[in-house]
Amino acid sequence: MRIASVLAAGVIGLGASVASAYQVDVEGGQTSVALDTELLEAATGLVVTGASDAVTIPGTLAESVAFPINARDAESPLLPTTFSYDAPELAPFSGAIEHEGTITFNDAITVGNFTIGFDGARAGSLGGLASGFFVASNTAVEAILFDIELTGATTGAAFLEVSGNLLVSPEFAQILIDLEATADDLSGADVGDALVEGDTGCSAVEVSGNGKINFGDYARFLRFYVRDRAEADFDGSGDINRRDLFGFLRQFIDCVQRDRWARKIYKRHGDDMDDDRDDDDDDDEDDD
């Protein structure tokens, strides 16, 4: 009865939970990049001539490619993603979003394994357009290539979606001058768009350990909560309080909703998905 009472209080107080922040970790997803290839070629002579196997073509944006976001336990030579934020807002946040995959220009210049990071000192630069977020290459060319002008952000417990314009960074502008690709300082030039689609995996609410998001997870969390156990310190503050309960409830509902959408998609397209999987299995057997 006590569990049921707390559950009812949580549901009734859902409106209050909207104002309660809770930490969410980005665990995967992808970032789509759509470069203005005509502008780049006209201004610098750079032409995209190749991409590594990790790159998805096309990405979510029109005429884009997509780079997978590394897991938080990624191993060298890949960098682990460390980005976390407080939902339902994007701030405060910390860490970086790391990617796998490279692209090559003119069969000679390779950039990739990108980091999307934040540097407060960059915010407001480039005529006030730079947000502080940047894109850095970690391959043969190791430098910040773009500052990001944010154009939109949607956050939740189960996802992170951020869009922005890619502005040539002062560092990249100098590299282009040094390579004699251009004599002009292109700092701040808008040369494309980016869309980050982060996946949180909803791991924080999967407390039962069975790999599924269901009522059992919420019931188990409530038992932690009423017993004042460390597992119920959902916001990491060191205290067990209503903020933990509301934060968990909000994220739990978001995750269940996402799972419900996944079930609907499978119910509608499951036969086709199974057929595709069976075809892939048959192809693998033929290869053997």
Side-chain angles (χ1 to χ4, degrees):
M1 292 297 292
R2 187 177 183 186
I3 294 295
S5 299
V6 176
L7 174 60
V11 173
I12 292 172
L14 180 58
S17 74
V18 174
S20 299
Y22 47 91
Q23 180 174 306
V24 176
D25 298 332
V26 172
E27 299 181 356
Q30 68 175 22
T31 296
S32 296
V33 174
L35 293 175
D36 188 335
T37 54
E38 293 183 358
L39 175 61
L40 273 177
E41 183 176 4
T44 66
L46 294 180
V47 178
V48 178
T49 54
S52 67
D53 292 341
V55 178
T56 299
I57 304 174
T60 302
L61 298 172
E63 300 182 358
S64 71
V65 298
F67 301 88
I69 295 174
N70 297 344
R72 300 184 78 84
D73 59 355
E75 297 181 354
S76 180
L78 299 179
L79 297 174
T81 290
T82 57
F83 192 79
S84 300
Y85 61 94
D86 275 14
E89 304 297 332
L90 181 57
F93 57 83
S94 62
I97 299 177
E98 307 290 352
H99 301 80
E100 179 182 7
T102 63
I103 57 174
T104 300
F105 295 95
N106 299 7
D107 294 319
I109 303 172
T110 298
V111 297
N113 288 355
F114 297 108
T115 294
I116 296 180
F118 181 82
D119 180 355
R122 304 181 76 91
S125 62
L126 301 180
L129 298 179
S131 63
F133 286 99
F134 61 84
V135 179
S137 171
N138 297 297
T139 54
V141 177
E142 192 169 355
I144 294 177
L145 302 184
F146 306 109
D147 283 281
I148 300 176
E149 177 191 7
L150 292 183
T151 57
T154 304
T155 65
F159 64 93
L160 168 69
E161 186 173 294
V162 179
S163 59
N165 296 323
L166 297 175
L167 311 178
V168 174
S169 71
E171 295 90 339
F172 190 29
Q174 187 59 52
I175 289 173
L176 294 173
I177 292 174
D178 293 343
L179 291 174
E180 298 183 350
T182 179
D184 300 323
D185 183 352
L186 299 179
S187 298
D190 184 348
V191 293
D193 304 311
L195 175 64
V196 178
E197 297 171 293
D199 183 5
T200 71
C202 292
S203 59
V205 303
E206 206 278 282
V207 296
S208 61
N210 63 5
K212 300 178 181 179
I213 307 295
N214 53 37
F215 183 78
D217 294 304
Y218 192 64
R220 185 175 179 84
F221 175 81
L222 287 176
R223 288 196 292 272
F224 294 156
Y225 179 81
V226 298
R227 294 172 185 172
D228 197 32
R229 291 176 57 179
E231 292 92 332
D233 183 17
F234 194 66
D235 64 1
S237 65
D239 296 318
I240 310 299
N241 50 41
R242 288 183 62 189
R243 189 173 185 268
D244 296 300
L245 177 61
F246 287 146
F248 184 91
L249 176 61
R250 173 67 181 271
Q251 187 164 348
F252 175 79
I253 290 175
D254 282 353
C255 290
V256 169
Q257 184 71 25
R258 190 179 69 166
D259 282 358
R260 189 178 73 177
W261 289 336
R263 289 195 296 271
K264 283 185 177 180
I265 291 172
Y266 186 82
K267 185 176 181 180
R268 183 175 301 174
H269 302 290
D271 291 340
D272 293 335
M273 294 163 67
D274 288 340
D275 289 342
D276 289 341
R277 182 183 60 195
D278 292 339
D279 290 342
D280 290 340
D281 291 341
D282 291 341
D283 290 342
D284 291 339
E285 291 177 4
D286 292 340
D287 292 339
D288 294 338

